[in-house]
Amino acid sequence: MLQKLHQLKDKALQALKMVSDSEELESWRIEHLGRKSELNQILHDVGRLPPEERPAVGRLTNEVKLALETAYEGKAEALKRQELERALREERIDVTLPGRPVSLGRLHLTTQTLREIYAIFGQMGFQVYESPDVETDELNFGLLNMPPHHPARDMWDTFWISDEVLLRTHTSPGQIRVMRERCPEPIRVILPGKCYRYEQVTARSEHQFYQVEGLAVGHAITMTDLIGTLTEFARRFYGPERRIRIRGSYFPFTEPSIEADMDCILCDGEGCRVCRYSGWLEICGAGMVHPVVLENGGYDPDEWNGFAFGFGVERPAMVKYSIDDIRLFYGNDLRFLRQF
Ligand code: DAH
């Protein structure tokens, strides 16, 4: 029996050497130390041995059991270490690899251009005033000196929502809103915002676009103040060498009305495709605020006067960055937008 126990131990330890993963180790444990193992059987049967054999067999059996248990634990430890080493080796992170770049958003070119415009006018003392995109007929036209059936309304093809409500065709109705809110204080604001026109979409015109309106109301404001403001803006926005030209024009809400042109930045006034060989680019409509409009805003035209102007935002950006199609602004093509 004693010899059998020694053999059993040697055989088990030999088998343990061949174990190479935790699954095999578990099978080994069941076979050699489990309830149905030979060793357990012997331990169980010690009581049936002749009394003189019992102590020696009992002791050796326990010794073998302890030896196998110790060997088992040692092996389990070793396997765990091996597994850890493998993981460290195979799953090692190469910290010298460059990281994955986070994709960054950016401001839309229109937003960038608007902010540039705000900054320039901000330095000239103009506040930003926002007014709604959805307007009434009265504010968009009537109070701007265009009663129903006034022929000048045809200058703006309109998206009507109902007989009375429309999408603003220009930012000028904001003039009335800001005057009514601020009266009787002097005013110096710009009114940026989106405008809508029921027009065919082409490379040069969209049915939605931004405008920036300007309004100054005070005492003894002159046309020279207006021209100086527009010239200063053009030089800050396009470069200090720019020249401005003024032409007489007509808008129902200004008297007198003008349009301002700037020498073409692409050909320096020589004439090119962009300026249609005239050497000049139209930059805005403007004028001295019409007395009727001042009155509609709450100001007494005998005491107050002012100037106003309005220009688009996408077109100046197109000229500045040589963009040849206005539809790109709303095309949502990231290849275009990422360039700015
Ligand atoms: N509202 C005009 C337009 O959309 C632009 C304009 C012209 C605005 C003259 C003004 C102005 O304030 O005085 O065509």
Side-chain angles (χ1 to χ4, degrees), residues 156 169-170 172 175 197 211 213-214 251 253-254 285-287 308-310:
W156 297 275
T169 57
H170 52 175
S172 304
Q175 289 189 30
R197 287 191 198 168
Q211 276 191 348
E213 187 91 6
F251 299 100
F253 32 90
T254 42
F309 57 85

Side-chain angles (χ1 to χ4, degrees), residues 113-305:
T113 308
L114 279 168
R115 290 192 180 182
E116 202 179 328
I117 294 167
Y118 300 164
I120 294 169
F121 281 105
Q123 286 167 344
M124 292 195 267
F126 286 79
Q127 296 174 310
V128 172
Y129 185 93
E130 293 197 350
S131 72
D133 291 29
V134 179
E135 268 297 3
T136 58
D137 173 83
E138 200 189 12
L139 275 140
N140 196 80
F141 294 121
L143 295 167
L144 291 171
N145 204 21
M146 279 178 278
H149 310 299
H150 192 292
R153 288 181 171 223
D154 287 351
M155 287 161 69
W156 297 275
D157 294 306
T158 309
F159 283 113
W160 292 94
I161 289 171
S162 69
D163 287 349
E164 276 302 313
V165 180
L166 48 80
L167 295 180
R168 66 173 169 199
T169 57
H170 52 175
T171 42
S172 304
Q175 289 189 30
I176 302 291
R177 289 181 178 272
V178 69
M179 282 194 275
R180 288 184 168 181
E181 193 181 297
R182 298 279 169 90
C183 186
E185 299 290 322
I187 296 174
R188 208 186 288 179
V189 292
I190 52 169
L191 305 113
K194 215 184 234 185
C195 302
Y196 307 83
R197 287 191 198 168
Y198 186 48
E199 276 179 11
Q200 190 171 0
V201 175
T202 67
R204 279 184 59 80
S205 64
E206 258 286 5
H207 56 251
Q208 53 177 342
F209 54 91
Y210 274 87
Q211 276 191 348
V212 173
E213 187 91 6
L215 175 70
V217 176
H219 301 289
I221 290 177
T222 66
M223 180 71 96
T224 312
D225 296 324
L226 168 60
I227 296 170
T229 304
L230 296 177
T231 306
E232 185 62 18
F233 169 72
R235 292 186 176 160
R236 296 236 195 145
F237 188 78
Y238 293 104
E241 66 285 5
R242 298 278 58 99
R243 285 181 297 135
I244 296 293
R245 167 177 96 165
I246 301 301
R247 285 180 287 121
S249 185
Y250 169 73
F251 299 100
F253 32 90
T254 42
E255 181 57 38
S257 301
I258 60 165
E259 273 175 73
D261 300 334
M262 175 185 79
D263 59 332
C264 177
I265 65 166
L266 296 171
C267 62
D268 269 329
E270 292 289 308
C272 68
R273 206 170 57 87
V274 172
C275 61
R276 293 180 179 156
Y277 303 98
S278 71
W280 294 94
L281 294 169
E282 186 188 312
I283 56 169
C284 73
M288 302 307 289
V289 182
H290 196 289
V292 167
V293 174
L294 281 171
E295 215 163 347
N296 290 338
Y299 289 83
D300 177 355
D302 289 334
E303 275 186 43
W304 296 84
N305 77 342

